[in-house]
Amino acid sequence: MSGAITMVVDDSPFSLALTTGVLAGFGVRPAFTIGRSVEARRILQEKPVDLLLVDTDMPEIDGFELVRWLRRSGPNPNAFTPVIMTASHIRRSRVAEARDCGANFVVTKPFSAAMLLERILWVARDDRPFLEVGDYLGPDRRFRNEGYEGEERRGRLIRPETVEFA
């Protein structure tokens, strides 16, 4: 994980420092620690990122809107970057909003180092395909594969994770 290009976006200097410190404990030195989503968007357009940790509640552009933009930012290769959202106050509706904007996972604050590591490892091993259905673009929202025996009707909706530039 030490070679992963990581970005942490959080408007709270305390949370930003805490998250960065936890990541440093795993040997991950975030390449980008940013307090504003506007700045994160600019960097995500220019630089490759392997993992994005973003707070849900921020001024100007909140974390949900940032992830929605990222998922729709093709042909930007960062459109498929794993995203873990962090939230101080999370209700069921906000978890659903995180899922629906295309985030891979939500972690509530305060989180333990073990919990964050577990979620990072989980998204690193996540093999769910990216789907484009209506206005949703992101990882398949189903976590369980129940062994469906019928015809796969989503095949045309599965988006390749490689981006070709014209």
Side-chain angles (χ1 to χ4, degrees), residues 15 18-19 54-56 84-92 94-95 105-113 115-116 119:
S15 292
L18 189 62
T19 303
V54 60
D55 186 43
T56 57
I84 297 175
M85 297 192 84
T86 59
S88 298
H89 307 288
I90 197 80
R91 297 177 305 278
R92 180 170 287 188
R94 299 296 270 182
V95 172
F105 224 96
V106 177
V107 175
T108 57
K109 297 177 190 175
F111 50 78
S112 68
M115 173 61 74
L116 185 58
R119 296 305 179 229

Side-chain angles (χ1 to χ4, degrees), residues 153-164:
R153 297 177 305 194
R154 300 171 311 139
R156 63 182 168 72
L157 303 173
I158 296 175
R159 188 164 179 174
E161 292 191 31
T162 58
V163 177
E164 294 183 28

Side-chain angles (χ1 to χ4, degrees), residues 10-29:
D10 198 318
D11 64 314
S12 164
F14 177 76
S15 292
L16 194 60
L18 189 62
T19 303
T20 302
V22 169
L23 291 170
F26 311 143
V28 176
R29 303 269 185 251

Side-chain angles (χ1 to χ4, degrees), residues 54-70:
V54 60
D55 186 43
T56 57
D57 297 313
M58 291 184 289
E60 298 172 354
I61 300 172
D62 67 16
F64 303 108
E65 186 58 34
L66 178 63
V67 175
R68 264 188 227 94
W69 167 84
L70 179 66

Side-chain angles (χ1 to χ4, degrees), residues 15 17-18 20 22 27 32-33 37 42 44 47-48 60 70-73 75 80 90 103 115 118 165:
S15 292
L18 189 62
T20 302
V22 169
F32 308 101
T33 53
S37 293
R42 187 187 63 72
L44 287 164
K47 307 283 185 186
E60 298 172 354
L70 179 66
R71 294 300 186 222
R72 294 280 179 197
S73 67
F80 301 102
I90 197 80
M115 173 61 74
E118 180 182 307
F165 295 95

